[in-house]
């Protein structure tokens, strides 16, 4: 591989370090009773409120509709994710050392698969929270589920829920684009 | 047109009257006509007196959802509380209970708050609160605390402006009628407490006629710059006058405090007449830095003077009383250069210091001028020993040597003066019911505007500080008469807002207030609003009766006392079914609000309780005492509409006869 391509791919791999520091996804909730809004950040290894007690408040409100409590400590994905990202950083740096373009293809395919699986998993998680409601729920509306939107805005009773990617999601995207760019540059320079 | 024709006919009438008078000078008819005409004129005058209100509405309109520009804190006078208003809208935001019990908030009714109202006379459920005073740093209101005096049973309270709750009350010994208080120094070093009534010190059973011999007036300086640590640093035993109002020096006069006093006649009966005889009473200038030196040098007498210090702790959410046994007392006769008396015309009331600290303005209730004293001249007169006489070892300064000027013909009954920071002073006139604006340059009146009616204090935001905010003046009126829809013999109390940003003062708004709006303070909203506490962190709650989670809820019997450790959260109590309580038991509901969210207080009340409700802020624990008297099953419920299922937030307490074998039983989250 050419020097430029190696460098760009190196950056692509190292960029992933940012994923440890910034949230991946962001869910905002607004209601007449919460003009200031409630919100959750989904991070690589945790789920935290926008404000200190938001997770508490959301769990408290969710008991009215019979939703399960969101307990970050019981979500396995949050335990595995740091290792998966760690793997991509390490593998990426090894590829830079080994200097084999074909391995970038491998890296890219794996990351794409992981991202798709991850997003599906996130969707499934949202689906389960939104649909698996306690039969003792205080508020029961036939046919109503409370699945937050995967992407975009949706009205759930008095709450307007908005779900959007956060910084780390963009970092992942940028990383993929840079990896592709590395391959393209490497090909071009060889010709 | 109607107005013009009225004027013309009036003019015509006057000419006719002149001719008539000329013809039969002493006839009864003339007097009758004179009477009728004067009524007509006064009626006419009233109509044209109506202020032009164009544009006023826009200046006080705060659109729905928008915030006011200023917080204003108004004393409730004889309601004993403080109420918080937004300005310029005049919308009431909150009533803060201070010296009076408040069943709405459980203040003085819950086990945690009762100690706040303890005094050496026992629990006192009421007082008369006059002067709110915002804490200052470098002579500017800083938005940390509000202090206020309790007049009747002398006390000073501190309100924390992050929680808008009274957190400290200090009883003032040797004092009687704590009127010239709390008026603080420019870095909140001290709040002061001057006694309105002189009394025997120490108290004793003497003939009232021994007034001149036995009665003294105590002025206290209270350390105030640390929350929870108010303490009387020293008292000065003054002659037996009535100490009325006070202000501390500012800038160059920092280190001095000024106290107006009347009844220099030292009369003890029919003061209305007997205390109005002397041409001049006094403003006492106290050099408190000098007092500090005397205290340091040990020139004080330690005196038995039991008093209470009550502190509300925001972590344990409960108050504790401490009894303090002694005070340090300074006698002016033993401490030269500590106090000087400035002769002030006719029963001075207000005693106000301008933003520069140079001018001390006296408001003689019965005086025909407003005297303005100069701080620099006062210092010079002291060093030149320009003393006219001596009262109980206190030098009386020569009036001419200390006066900077007199405001001539200000109006009738000058009381209080505040400043706009642009070189003008504003004095309230009780008798002529107006605000008079005058210049600090030449002491000439430049504008006057009527108030409705009989203004007492007036307040310019920051008008008592080194940096007035200006812009508005609020009139705090004593009488409202015909200003509002009548409400029986007792009419609403009222304040009025005036625009002072221009040359002419302009009335903007009347708004009703709670109790007597005796005095007020105001501060930019930005200095307080972002520090406002939203809820108490449950992990920081150190109340010994806290219930941290629903799983910890329990009921414990200790002899005849039953402790119920209860939680409240939307929309249930835990436990909510309690059995095994008996007639005659003392039942203590320790309710912890587990919410950790803003604006979710829960209430708690139980049928047949000779007590108030609880109103528990998120993260707080509060305790309600209940002595059941009849067997049966009674409900309790949440009183503050908390959620969609607030009406379901209820429970039952079973009460069995005194000798019943029913055992304690309650539900838990798992059953």
């Amino acid at each position: 591989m050419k020097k430029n391509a190696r460098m760009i791919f190196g950056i692509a791999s190292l960029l992933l370090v940012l994923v440890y520091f910034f949230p991946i996804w962001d869910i905002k909730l607004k209601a007449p009773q919460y003009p200031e809004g409630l919100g959750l950040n989904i991070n690589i290894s945790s789920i935290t409120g926008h404000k200190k007690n938001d997770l508490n408040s959301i769990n408290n409100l969710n008991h009215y509709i019979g939703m399960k409590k969101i307990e970050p400590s019981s979500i396995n994905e949050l335990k595995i994710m740091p290792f998966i990202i760690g793997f991509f950083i390490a593998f990426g740096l090894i590829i830079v050392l080994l200097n084999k373009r074909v391995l970038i293809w491998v890296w890219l395919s794996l990351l794409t698969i992981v991202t798709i699986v991850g997003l599906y998993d996130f969707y499934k998680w949202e689906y389960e929270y939104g649909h698996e409601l306690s039969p003792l729920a205080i508020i029961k509306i036939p046919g109503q589920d409370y699945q937050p939107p995967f992407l975009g805005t949706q009205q759930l009773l008095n709450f307007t829920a908005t779900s959007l990617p956060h910084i780390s999601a963009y970092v992942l995207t940028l990383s993929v684009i840079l990896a592709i760019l590395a391959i393209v540059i490497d090909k071009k320079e060889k010709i | 047109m109607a107005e013009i024709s009225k004027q013309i006919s009036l003019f015509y009438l006057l000419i006719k009257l002149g001719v008539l008078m000329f013809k039969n000078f002493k006839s009864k008819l003339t007097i009758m006509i004179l009477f009728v005409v004067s009524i007509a004129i006064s009626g006419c005058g009233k109509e044209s007196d109506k202020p032009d209100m164009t544009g006023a509405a826009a200046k006080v309109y705060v659109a729905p959802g928008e915030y006011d520009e200023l917080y204003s804190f108004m004393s409730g006078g004889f309601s004993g509380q403080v109420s918080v208003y937004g300005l310029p809208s005049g919308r009431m935001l909150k009533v803060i209970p201070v010296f009076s019990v408040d069943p709405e908030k459980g203040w003085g009714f819950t086990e945690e708050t009762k100690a706040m109202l303890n005094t050496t006379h026992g629990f006192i459920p009421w007082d008369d609160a006059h002067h709110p005073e915002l804490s200052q740093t470098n002579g500017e209101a800083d938005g940390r605390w509000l202090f206020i005096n309790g007049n009747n049973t002398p006390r000073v309270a501190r309100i924390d402006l992050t929680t808008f709750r009274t957190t400290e009350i200090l009883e003032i010994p040797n004092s009687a009628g704590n009127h010239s208080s709390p008026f603080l120094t420019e870095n909140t070093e001290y709040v002061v407490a001057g006694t309105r009534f002189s009394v025997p010190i120490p108290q004793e059973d003497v003939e009232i006629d021994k007034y001149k011999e036995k009665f003294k007036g105590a002025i206290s300086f209270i350390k105030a710059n640390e929350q929870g640590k108010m303490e009387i640093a020293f008292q000065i035993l003054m002659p037996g006058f009535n100490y009325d109002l006070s202000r501390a020096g500012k800038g160059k006069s920092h280190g001095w405090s000024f106290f107006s006093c009347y009844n220099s006649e030292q009369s003890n009966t029919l003061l209305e007449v007997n205390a109005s005889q002397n041409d001049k009473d006094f403003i006492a200038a106290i050099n408190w830095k000098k007092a500090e030196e005397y205290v340091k040098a040990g020139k004080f007498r330690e005196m038995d003077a039991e008093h209470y210090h009550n502190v509300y702790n925001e972590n344990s959410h409960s108050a504790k009383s401490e009894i303090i046994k002694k005070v340090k007392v300074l006698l002016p006769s033993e401490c030269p250069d500590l106090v000087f008396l400035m002769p002030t015309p006719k029963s001075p009331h207000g005693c106000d210091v301008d933003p520069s600290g140079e001018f001390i303005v006296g408001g003689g209730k019965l005086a025909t001028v407003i005297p303005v004293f100069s701080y620099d001249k006062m210092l010079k007169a002291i060093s030149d020993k320009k003393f006219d006489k001596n009262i109980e070892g206190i030098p009386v300064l020569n009036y001419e040597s200390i006066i900077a000027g007199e405001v001539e013909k200000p109006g009738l009954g000058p009381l209080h003066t505040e400043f706009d920071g642009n070189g003008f002073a504003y004095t309230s006139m009780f008798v002529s019911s107006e605000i008079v604006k005058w210049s600090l340059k030449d002491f000439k009146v430049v504008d006057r505007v009527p108030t409705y009616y009989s203004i007492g204090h007036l307040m310019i935001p920051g008008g008592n500080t080194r940096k007035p905010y200006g812009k508005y003046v609020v009139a705090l009126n004593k009488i409202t008469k015909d200003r509002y829809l009548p409400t029986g013999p007792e009419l609403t109390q009222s304040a009025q807002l005036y625009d002072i940003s221009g040359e002419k003062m302009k009335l903007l708004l009347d708004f009703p207030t709670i109790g007597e709006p005796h005095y007020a303070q105001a501060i930019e909203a930005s200095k307080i609003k972002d520090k406002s506490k939203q809820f108490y962190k449950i992990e920081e709650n150190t109340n010994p009766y806290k219930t941290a989670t629903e799983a910890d809820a329990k009921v414990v019997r200790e002899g005849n006392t039953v402790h119920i450790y209860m939680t409240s959260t939307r929309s249930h109590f835990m436990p909510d079914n309690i059995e095994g309580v008996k007639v005659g038991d003392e039942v203590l509901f320790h309710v912890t609000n587990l919410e950790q969210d803003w604006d979710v207080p829960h209430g708690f009340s139980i049928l047949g309780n000779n007590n108030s409700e609880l109103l528990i802020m998120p993260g707080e624990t509060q305790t309600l005492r209940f002595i059941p008297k009849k067997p049966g099953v009674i409900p309790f419920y949440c009183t503050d509409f908390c959620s969609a299922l607030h009406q379901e937030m209820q429970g039952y307490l079973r009460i069995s006869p005194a000798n019943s074998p029913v055992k304690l039983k309650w539900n838990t989250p798992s059953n």
Side-chain angles (χ1 to χ4, degrees):
Chain A
M1 280 204 296
K2 289 290 174 214
K3 204 177 155 195
N4 278 351
R6 272 175 87 188
M7 208 175 71
I8 288 170
F9 182 67
I11 292 169
S13 313
L14 283 174
L15 256 184
L16 294 179
V17 173
L18 293 177
V19 176
Y20 290 91
F21 298 100
F22 295 102
I24 302 166
W25 219 264
D26 170 61
I27 299 175
K28 277 194 192 77
L29 297 166
K30 267 199 142 191
Q33 298 79 7
Y34 289 89
E36 75 280 17
L38 290 169
L40 294 178
N41 285 329
I42 297 165
N43 309 301
I44 186 166
S45 61
S46 65
I47 295 178
T48 52
H50 284 178
K51 297 189 298 301
K52 193 176 159 266
N53 287 297
D54 279 7
L55 181 57
N56 244 336
S57 303
I58 289 169
N59 278 334
N60 191 0
L61 290 168
N62 285 350
H63 97 273
Y64 286 111
I65 49 173
M67 237 187 204
K68 276 190 289 186
K69 269 198 170 166
I70 302 173
E71 283 169 12
S73 60
S74 65
I75 300 174
N76 288 326
E77 285 85 339
L78 298 174
K79 291 177 188 143
I80 307 165
M81 286 258 279
F83 295 103
I84 293 177
I85 297 297
F87 163 78
F88 280 102
I89 296 168
F91 185 36
L93 293 177
I94 290 167
I95 293 168
V96 173
L97 287 177
L98 294 177
N99 202 7
K100 288 228 165 90
R101 194 210 303 160
V102 65
L103 285 178
I104 300 185
W105 281 111
V106 176
W107 189 90
L108 251 182
S109 326
L110 279 177
L111 185 58
T112 311
I113 291 167
V114 164
T115 306
I116 290 169
V117 170
L119 288 175
Y120 172 71
D121 187 61
F122 175 55
Y123 173 82
K124 212 178 76 180
W125 178 79
E126 283 192 329
Y127 181 90
E128 280 167 10
Y129 269 96
H131 286 81
E132 289 177 9
L133 305 172
S134 161
L136 287 175
I138 295 164
I139 301 169
K140 272 187 256 184
I141 298 171
Q144 167 89 43
D145 68 71
Y146 303 99
Q147 182 179 355
F150 177 63
L151 197 66
T153 298
Q154 197 180 324
Q155 192 70 27
L156 302 170
L157 299 186
N158 54 334
F159 278 91
T160 311
T162 305
S163 171
L164 290 169
H166 210 296
I167 292 175
S168 285
Y170 297 113
V171 167
L172 272 164
T173 315
L174 186 64
S175 183
V176 167
I177 292 169
L178 285 178
I180 293 169
L181 191 70
I183 292 171
V184 172
I185 287 174
D186 199 40
K187 274 190 171 172
K188 257 192 190 163
E189 285 186 0
K190 274 202 171 159
I191 294 162
Chain B
M1 275 309 281
E3 190 65 27
I4 293 168
S5 65
K6 210 171 172 182
Q7 300 267 337
I8 291 171
S9 60
L10 190 72
F11 183 65
Y12 187 66
L13 207 68
L14 277 170
I15 292 174
K16 261 197 156 174
L17 178 78
V19 173
L20 253 166
M21 274 174 80
F22 185 74
K23 279 184 177 164
N24 9 256
F25 187 61
K26 280 179 184 167
S27 84
K28 278 182 186 167
L29 184 70
T30 313
I31 292 167
M32 228 173 78
I33 289 173
L34 243 175
F35 184 67
V36 169
V37 169
S38 68
I39 284 177
I41 290 173
S42 70
C44 244
K46 198 177 173 196
E47 206 146 288
S48 58
D49 261 2
K50 269 213 168 152
D52 170 23
M53 296 306 293
T54 330
K59 285 192 172 154
V60 299
Y61 183 70
V62 177
E66 300 285 313
Y67 292 145
D68 273 293
E69 180 182 346
L70 301 150
Y71 279 100
S72 174
F73 300 90
M74 304 216 173
S75 68
F78 43 73
S79 87
Q81 319 290 43
V82 166
S83 44
V84 186
Y85 289 80
L87 290 181
S89 72
R91 298 181 297 186
M92 192 182 76
L93 306 173
K94 184 172 180 141
V95 175
I96 305 171
V98 186
F99 298 113
S100 298
V101 295
D102 182 356
E104 175 197 334
K105 299 180 177 69
W107 185 252
F109 292 95
T110 71
E111 296 309 297
E112 281 79 2
T113 57
K114 280 178 179 170
M116 288 306 283
L117 302 178
N118 282 343
T119 72
T120 49
H121 310 275
F123 177 89
I124 294 188
W126 171 88
D127 213 309
D128 180 26
H130 273 200
H131 309 119
E133 181 94 341
L134 286 162
S135 59
Q136 295 181 18
T137 305
N138 295 324
E140 255 186 280
D142 57 25
R144 283 183 295 166
W145 307 303
L146 183 80
F147 295 91
I148 189 159
N149 61 324
N151 251 320
N152 182 55
T153 304
R155 286 174 280 177
V156 167
R158 181 202 306 268
I159 294 161
D160 183 330
L161 294 181
T162 63
T163 57
F164 286 59
R165 188 184 327 246
T166 306
T167 54
E168 199 174 358
I169 293 182
L170 180 72
E171 190 181 3
I172 317 294
N174 291 339
S175 195
N178 182 32
H179 193 263
S180 53
S181 180
F183 309 111
L184 45 84
T185 55
E186 69 176 23
N187 290 302
T188 320
E189 294 95 339
Y190 296 107
V191 300
V192 300
T195 190
R196 172 174 160 200
F197 309 104
S198 283
V199 286
I201 296 179
Q203 268 294 2
E204 61 174 317
D205 170 24
V206 292
E207 283 168 53
I208 300 171
D209 274 353
K210 297 259 161 68
Y211 187 100
K212 285 189 176 132
E213 185 187 324
K214 294 272 187 184
F215 287 44
K216 291 274 174 269
I219 290 178
S220 311
F221 281 75
I222 301 156
K223 272 193 205 155
N225 212 1
E226 232 182 307
Q227 173 125 286
K229 303 236 167 112
M230 278 205 282
E231 175 194 2
I232 297 174
F234 51 88
Q235 286 190 327
I236 300 172
L237 278 203
M238 299 284 289
F241 306 156
N242 290 37
Y243 295 88
D244 205 6
L245 282 152
S246 170
R247 285 289 182 202
K250 302 180 174 90
K252 62 179 176 182
S253 52
H254 179 59
W256 290 79
S257 276
F258 303 92
F259 292 82
S260 61
C261 48
Y262 59 101
N263 194 20
S264 57
E265 297 85 350
Q266 302 204 42
S267 161
N268 52 279
T269 177
L270 292 177
L271 263 64
E272 160 177 42
V273 176
N274 296 332
S276 305
Q277 297 307 308
N278 287 354
D279 235 17
K280 291 201 170 64
D281 294 283
F282 302 106
I283 287 175
I286 295 181
N287 185 339
W288 57 259
K289 288 215 165 140
K290 198 90 193 165
E292 285 176 343
E293 287 169 24
Y294 282 124
V295 170
K296 230 181 187 175
K299 281 207 88 174
F300 58 86
R301 300 180 180 206
E302 195 155 61
M303 194 178 156
D304 289 330
E306 209 173 73
H307 56 286
Y308 268 71
H309 181 216
N310 310 319
V311 177
Y312 190 87
N313 181 308
E314 295 277 21
N315 288 324
S316 67
H317 305 293
S318 47
K320 275 209 174 100
S321 294
E322 184 194 357
I323 301 167
I324 296 151
K325 301 272 185 199
K326 293 187 187 296
V327 286
K328 296 183 173 101
V329 172
L330 295 172
L331 300 179
S333 54
E334 297 174 355
C335 303
D337 297 332
L338 176 64
V339 188
F340 299 91
L341 294 174
M342 316 192 333
T344 307
K346 285 290 184 197
S347 303
H349 188 60
C351 151
D352 297 287
V353 181
D354 87 304
S356 73
E358 163 64 7
F359 298 121
I360 301 120
V361 182
K365 294 187 286 270
L366 310 171
T368 50
V369 296
I370 300 172
V372 183
F373 298 106
S374 153
Y375 172 72
D376 291 340
K377 282 186 159 185
M378 180 193 87
L379 287 189
K380 186 151 190 313
I382 290 170
S383 71
D384 295 350
K385 300 217 178 314
K386 292 258 169 85
F387 305 143
D388 282 352
K389 57 178 175 179
N390 199 299
I391 298 177
E392 297 182 27
I394 305 172
V396 177
L397 292 161
N398 175 265
Y399 181 75
E400 278 71 31
S401 311
I402 55 174
I403 196 87
E406 289 175 337
V407 182
E408 305 272 350
K409 294 198 182 125
L412 302 174
L415 293 183
H416 305 278
T417 303
E418 299 234 337
F419 307 89
D420 65 3
N422 296 317
F424 294 100
Y426 299 72
T427 302
S428 57
M429 300 286 164
F430 178 83
V431 178
S432 52
S433 187
E434 60 189 334
I435 297 173
V436 171
K437 176 181 176 182
W438 50 275
S439 163
L440 283 166
K441 277 198 196 81
D442 54 11
F443 311 119
K444 291 265 189 307
V445 172
V446 294
D447 189 26
R448 53 179 73 237
V449 64
T451 64
Y452 307 92
Y453 303 94
S454 284
I455 180 175
H457 277 271
L458 77 177
M459 182 274 289
I460 292 174
N464 61 316
T465 69
R466 270 167 74 177
K467 291 217 178 102
Y469 179 81
K471 201 165 169 184
Y472 305 106
V473 62
V474 175
L476 301 147
N477 298 321
K478 305 294 187 193
I479 298 168
T480 53
K481 290 276 186 206
D482 57 354
R483 295 296 282 184
Y484 294 90
L485 286 175
T487 52
E490 196 204 359
L491 298 168
T492 186
Q493 301 275 343
S494 165
Q496 294 185 286
L497 183 76
Y498 295 81
D499 181 356
I500 56 166
S501 57
E503 234 172 79
K504 294 262 163 206
M505 294 178 274
K506 214 170 161 233
L507 175 62
L508 297 178
L509 182 71
D510 279 24
F511 58 101
T513 59
I514 285 186
E516 183 211 1
H518 190 92
Y519 180 49
Q521 292 268 278
I523 184 170
E524 297 99 295
S526 60
K527 284 192 177 172
I528 290 183
K529 99 180 146 65
D530 298 329
K531 294 189 285 188
S532 211
K533 197 167 194 82
Q534 300 195 332
F535 57 84
Y536 298 93
K537 289 182 186 148
I538 191 86
E539 62 272 18
E540 288 172 6
N541 177 335
T542 59
N543 189 303
Y545 299 105
K546 155 182 157 178
T547 310
T549 67
E550 289 193 353
D552 300 324
K554 62 185 174 187
V555 181
V556 178
R557 177 180 280 284
E558 284 171 10
N560 281 333
T561 303
V562 179
H563 294 276
I564 299 173
Y565 292 79
M566 185 182 275
T567 64
S568 63
T569 189
R570 281 163 289 173
S571 310
H572 59 273
F573 294 106
M574 186 60 65
D576 64 0
N577 279 203
I578 302 151
E579 303 186 19
V581 167
K582 293 167 201 172
V583 169
D585 278 346
E586 178 193 45
V587 182
L588 295 168
F589 290 94
H590 308 290
V591 187
T592 302
N593 179 350
L594 290 181
E595 307 281 356
Q596 291 288 279
D597 201 351
W598 199 12
D599 200 13
V600 199
H602 287 293
F604 177 87
S605 69
I606 184 158
L607 189 153
N609 192 7
N610 301 99
N611 205 342
S612 77
E613 64 159 354
L614 291 178
L615 186 63
I616 318 139
M617 296 304 120
E620 244 184 9
T621 303
Q622 289 287 303
T623 300
L624 196 66
R625 187 170 178 267
F626 173 50
I627 314 276
K629 290 172 289 295
K630 297 185 226 171
V633 178
I634 50 170
F636 51 84
Y637 68 98
C638 173
T639 51
D640 190 346
F641 210 109
C642 60
S643 59
L645 298 165
H646 165 71
Q647 285 298 85
E648 280 74 7
M649 193 159 171
Q650 62 162 57
Y652 285 108
L653 176 71
R654 174 180 167 193
I655 301 157
S656 305
N659 51 3
S660 152
V662 177
K663 291 260 170 292
L664 275 188
K665 191 176 144 199
W666 66 92
N667 58 323
T668 60
S670 44
N671 67 10

